[in-house]
Structure formats: C-alpha cells, structure tokens
Amino acid sequence: MKIFFNRKVWGVCLVILVMTIFSSCEKKKSLPADNNNSMANAFLKAQTTDKPKAKKETNKTEAPVVEEKNIPAVERIKFNKDNAVVDNGNKTFNERKAIDVVRDMTTGWNLGNTFDATGGGKSLQSELSWGQPKTTKAMIDGLAASGIKTIRIPVSWGHHIMDSNYTIQTAWMSRVKEVVDWAIEDGMYVVINIHHDNYAKDAKMPAREGFYPTDENYENSADFVCNVWAQIALAFNNGYDEHLVFEVLNEPRLCGTSEEWWYNATSPKSIKAMNNLNKLTQNILDVIRASGGNNKKRLVAVPSLQASPESALARTFKMPQDFDGSKDRLIVSVHMYTPYNFAMESPGITKYSDSVKKEFTSMFKKLNDHFIANGYAVYIGEYGATNKNNLEDRIAWFHDFIKESRVYGMPCFLWDNGVWKVEGTEYGEHYGYYNRTTQEWYFPEIIKAINEEIK
C-alpha cells in the first residue's frame, strides 16, 4: 500500500526532524565530560569504587541494609580551602618504578610517639604529649649522618580538625611540613601518613572522629580520609619529588574487637572490614591522583588490615587501581615484629635461634612471591625487637633480619618510641633506639649491625 505526502506534510516532517536533532545536541552539551582536561579524564578512569548496584528485592522481615551512597571521592571534599596550606614549589619529579625506588631507601627510622600523639588537644604541644622532645633539625641531621636514608613520619590529624568541613589546623600542617623539609634537605626519603585516627571502638562513629572499617561507619570514614588526604595533597605536591611518599593509613583495624590484631579469613566481620578498607584506600588514591602535578606520579603505600603480613597475603586484600592501571607507583606497606614471641611479647622468649630466624625468612619469601614477583613493591614500614636485656640476641636478630630483607629489596623502617630502659621483667614496647636530645644511639651496636648489612 502506497502513502502519498503533499508538500505541507513534507514541511511539517522536516520541522519535526530539525527539532529532534537540536534537542539531541542540547543533551550532549549538558554532559559533564571535558575531553580537553587530561587530569579529569585520568581521575574518571580511576574511579573503580562504589559502583551502583541493582536494588535487591527484599521481604519486610529482612534487616535493613546500610545504604551505599556511591559518592565519588572528590565529591566528598569540602574543607575550607581559604584556610589550607598550599604548596607553591616547583621540583622535577623523576619517574621510576616503585620497586627500584624502595631499594634505594635502604634503611629507615620512625619518628614515633611524636606527631602521631593524640594528647594535647589542638595545641602544637601535642607533639610532646607522649613524652618525646620537640623535633629539631639537629635531630634529623643526626639521623642522616648515622646512615638512616628514610624517615617515616607518622601523623595523627583528627584532633587538629577545626570545623565541620574537616579543615585541618594550618599551624599543624605547617609544622609537619617543616620537619619533612628538614629531612628532604638532608637527601632522605620521607613517608607521611594518617596514623592514630582509627576510631577506638566498634560502635557508630560520629563525623570527623576518624575512620573505622565497618559498613555502618563507611560514609563517615570516607569523608574523613578524603578530606584529610586532599589537604595533605594540597600542602605537598609540586615542591616535592619522588623522595616524598604518601602512605594512606597506619594499621587500619577493628579496634575493640577480638579481631583487632588478627585477620580471621572465615569471619564475616573481618571480611567486611577488608572490603571497606579496600574501598577507603581506593578513595584515597583517587583523591591523591586528582590533585594533579607531582601527586599524579607520586609513590603511594597501602597497608592491609593491621598492616600485618598475614592479612596482606589474604585473598580478600586488594591493592587499589591506579588511574592508568599501572602497579609501578604503588607499594605494599607491612609491619613485621617477627616472630612476636621474640620481637614484641613480654616476657615471650629472649634467645635468638634458628627457629626464630625461620619465621621471618619464611615471611619475607611469601611477601616476595605474592607481591614483588607480581610487580608490586614492598617495604617494612615498622619493625624492631623490644629490649629484653638481651642485646647480643637482638644484634644477631637485626643482622639476619636486615640481610634477609635486602635479598628481596624490602627496606625496613625501625620503629622508635623513645622507650629503651628496662625495669624489672616488663619488656613490652621497649623500642627506643635513638637519643633525640644528644643525637646518639642507645645501642650503637644495633645501628652498626643494620649499616653493615645494607652496604
């Protein structure tokens, strides 16, 4: 059957066709994509977390499910930029694979119980609240002169948040920046992080109180870490080259539970905590990369739950995805006080033996086979052997521990909390090595053993 159109009908059809095309063009113009903004495109490409999920039909008797808001990391940022410390430096960033850079870190030391202290309120005196002296340039110079090539500076930020938008106290950020600069001037590598901002109990966490890797606390946690890291990334960017490393979190864990210090691979609670941690670390990486400049290339270190090697080896632990899918800028951060009964437990055991050695040599190999062999760098962000008045045994432990770590290219950063003198038989947490007032070592034999093994 044929249909004949007269001229008026053709005219009407032509008008409708033009209006349809115009409407389509208008819709395309309203899309937020900016094909000329390479940083925006890179950031969008890196967005792999919190994908919208189809709603599951449930009957009325089921428990309510915590709603996922699926907010992109950068959309969580709301701190007061007028109050922020801004890095206006200009330093060339030498892009090298993380595996090569961490080998160059050789040996490190932690400025423990200092900027990570949580006492003292918002005052800068909080740096002293756990009994350590104020950090000085002479202290940093002394570390560099004694062979330390990397300094890890743990920092707690929560007590220095000034408003409901997560704005960090300018003086606190500036003070951290001052100490970082001293170490950089000495040619050292520097690691900065979020340290003791893990909420202390398994409960609903108020906003701005840190992070906690449970479903009910995910939204507040994501807001906290995204805003803190956005401000760190603003204060430390183009003025710092590859010698500055960002470590996203320290020992994230389920505080106040039986699974706080160990990962239970069969426990739904541990598994959910790992899933939430994976999302949080992805958010942090996305924020760092979105800040552009040198931070788009900066090395970023990521721990598993507790920063323990056992949980890092769990199949549920996932390294975040970088914007271009590369592994070359990512580091696995692990803490090893191994074996526990020798290196940390009080009283535990005091004698060094082949069985003690076997525990850490076995773990180094597992980390190598699981991560380094698959393209990821690894460093030991904290390690040490608590003082049990067993200096000779500790010297032997340090010799073998560092020798083994060097085989696989995993630099080790000595945990130092300033507590070194043993009274009675209480040995726990005696990780004092460096006298920060005199710039001398409490146990020169230990730093000598370390330096002998990194040559």
Side-chain angles (χ1 to χ4, degrees):
M1 175 177 160
K2 294 182 179 180
I3 299 177
F4 296 92
F5 288 174
N6 61 28
R7 290 183 179 179
K8 288 184 179 181
V9 174
W10 277 110
V12 171
C13 290
L14 183 61
V15 169
I16 293 171
L17 177 63
V18 170
M19 291 179 68
T20 303
I21 294 171
F22 180 79
S23 174
S24 176
C25 291
E26 283 300 298
K27 287 180 181 178
K28 288 180 180 178
K29 286 180 181 178
S30 69
L31 292 175
D34 178 2
N35 291 328
N36 294 320
N37 186 337
S38 59
M39 188 62 240
N41 289 334
F43 176 73
L44 289 171
K45 185 177 179 181
Q47 294 301 302
T48 59
T49 59
D50 297 340
K51 299 295 184 185
K53 297 178 181 178
K55 289 186 177 180
K56 179 183 177 183
E57 291 188 6
T58 58
N59 59 50
K60 294 180 180 180
T61 61
E62 288 184 349
V65 178
V66 177
E67 180 184 358
E68 291 188 6
K69 295 184 179 179
N70 304 316
I71 303 172
V74 290
E75 291 183 16
R76 295 181 181 275
I77 298 171
K78 54 186 177 180
F79 69 90
N80 183 351
K81 296 177 178 62
D82 293 334
N83 249 6
V85 175
V86 179
D87 174 25
N88 293 313
N90 184 16
K91 208 165 188 179
T92 300
F93 195 103
N94 301 303
E95 291 191 69
R96 301 161 58 202
K97 290 185 177 182
I99 286 178
D100 297 326
V101 174
V102 297
R103 282 186 178 274
D104 195 41
M105 290 178 169
T106 62
T107 189
W109 179 89
N110 277 268
L111 184 65
N113 286 23
T114 304
F115 292 113
D116 53 320
T118 54
K122 299 185 188 305
S123 167
L124 289 181
Q125 295 302 305
S126 62
E127 177 184 348
L128 315 178
S129 64
W130 283 1
Q132 297 310 303
K134 184 175 181 178
T135 308
T136 63
K137 189 176 187 306
M139 187 188 302
I140 304 302
D141 292 344
L143 287 162
S146 63
I148 297 297
K149 195 168 180 181
T150 302
I151 180 169
R152 182 171 178 259
I153 303 178
V155 186
S156 299
W157 304 94
H159 290 279
H160 296 275
I161 287 175
M162 306 302 291
D163 60 28
S164 60
N165 291 326
Y166 298 88
T167 308
I168 296 170
Q169 180 186 25
T170 303
W172 185 246
M173 183 69 78
S174 297
R175 174 61 178 148
V176 173
K177 194 175 175 75
E178 179 180 41
V179 177
V180 169
D181 289 349
W182 289 338
I184 295 292
E185 288 167 9
D186 281 339
M188 302 169 79
Y189 287 94
V190 180
V191 177
I192 55 176
N193 71 356
I194 289 179
H195 207 79
H196 287 304
D197 286 320
N198 203 131
Y199 194 55
K201 53 188 176 182
D202 184 16
K204 179 61 178 176
M205 178 183 68
R208 298 177 297 283
E209 289 296 317
F211 68 92
Y212 197 90
T214 55
D215 291 348
E216 70 170 341
N217 288 313
Y218 174 75
E219 293 299 330
N220 280 343
S221 297
D223 286 343
F224 180 89
V225 299
C226 287
N227 277 278
V228 169
W229 271 108
Q231 291 171 84
I232 298 172
L234 189 62
F236 298 90
N237 196 334
N238 289 335
Y240 301 85
D241 64 11
E242 68 279 6
H243 284 82
L244 178 64
V245 175
F246 290 163
E247 182 184 88
V248 297
L249 298 169
N250 173 77
E251 297 178 346
R253 60 196 189 275
L254 292 167
C255 293
T257 75
S258 61
E259 296 168 40
E260 178 174 359
W261 289 112
W262 71 291
Y263 181 70
N264 183 351
T266 63
S267 164
K269 195 172 188 68
S270 280
I271 294 169
K272 286 183 179 181
M274 188 75 86
N275 290 338
N276 282 304
L277 175 61
N278 291 339
K279 291 194 295 181
L280 289 174
T281 57
Q282 182 69 58
N283 282 334
I284 295 170
L285 181 64
D286 291 345
V287 166
I288 292 169
R289 296 299 184 230
S291 65
N294 284 354
N295 287 341
K296 190 176 177 183
K297 300 169 280 190
R298 192 165 309 286
L299 300 190
V300 176
V302 179
S304 182
L305 286 173
Q306 307 100 25
S308 73
E310 291 83 5
S311 70
L313 295 169
R315 62 178 179 80
T316 45
F317 172 59
K318 307 294 182 186
M319 288 291 282
Q321 292 293 307
D322 217 336
F323 66 90
D324 60 354
S326 172
K327 301 176 182 178
D328 292 343
R329 305 177 203 92
L330 301 177
I331 304 168
V332 181
S333 173
V334 172
H335 294 178
M336 282 180 63
Y337 299 91
T338 308
Y340 171 76
N341 60 356
F342 177 85
M344 182 176 281
E345 187 179 21
S346 178
I349 61 174
T350 60
K351 295 297 182 183
Y352 183 66
S353 64
D354 287 341
S355 62
V356 168
K357 179 179 178 179
K358 184 178 180 180
E359 289 203 39
F360 63 74
T361 56
S362 172
M363 185 55 70
F364 277 125
K365 186 177 186 309
K366 288 178 183 177
L367 291 171
N368 175 76
D369 295 348
H370 192 81
F371 292 111
I372 296 178
N374 289 300
Y376 286 111
V378 178
Y379 70 47
I380 311 303
E382 292 182 17
Y383 83 110
T386 188
N387 184 11
K388 299 182 180 182
N389 284 328
N390 58 338
L391 182 57
E392 288 188 8
D393 291 274
R394 285 205 296 163
I395 291 170
W397 181 88
F398 273 101
H399 266 295
D400 287 346
F401 193 95
I402 297 301
K403 182 185 296 182
E404 196 69 14
S405 73
R406 295 286 287 170
V407 169
Y408 301 109
M410 300 182 205
C412 302
F413 311 150
L414 190 63
W415 177 252
D416 194 326
N417 61 4
V419 182
W420 66 278
K421 192 174 182 179
V422 175
E423 295 182 4
T425 56
E426 174 49 51
Y427 304 133
E429 297 290 335
H430 284 69
Y431 294 106
Y433 297 96
Y434 180 67
N435 188 319
R436 306 182 193 187
T437 303
T438 66
Q439 283 77 63
E440 298 173 326
W441 291 82
Y442 294 119
F443 308 101
E445 302 92 339
I446 289 179
I447 189 63
K448 180 183 177 183
I450 294 170
N451 284 334
E452 285 177 353
E453 297 302 337
I454 64 173
K455 289 179 180 178

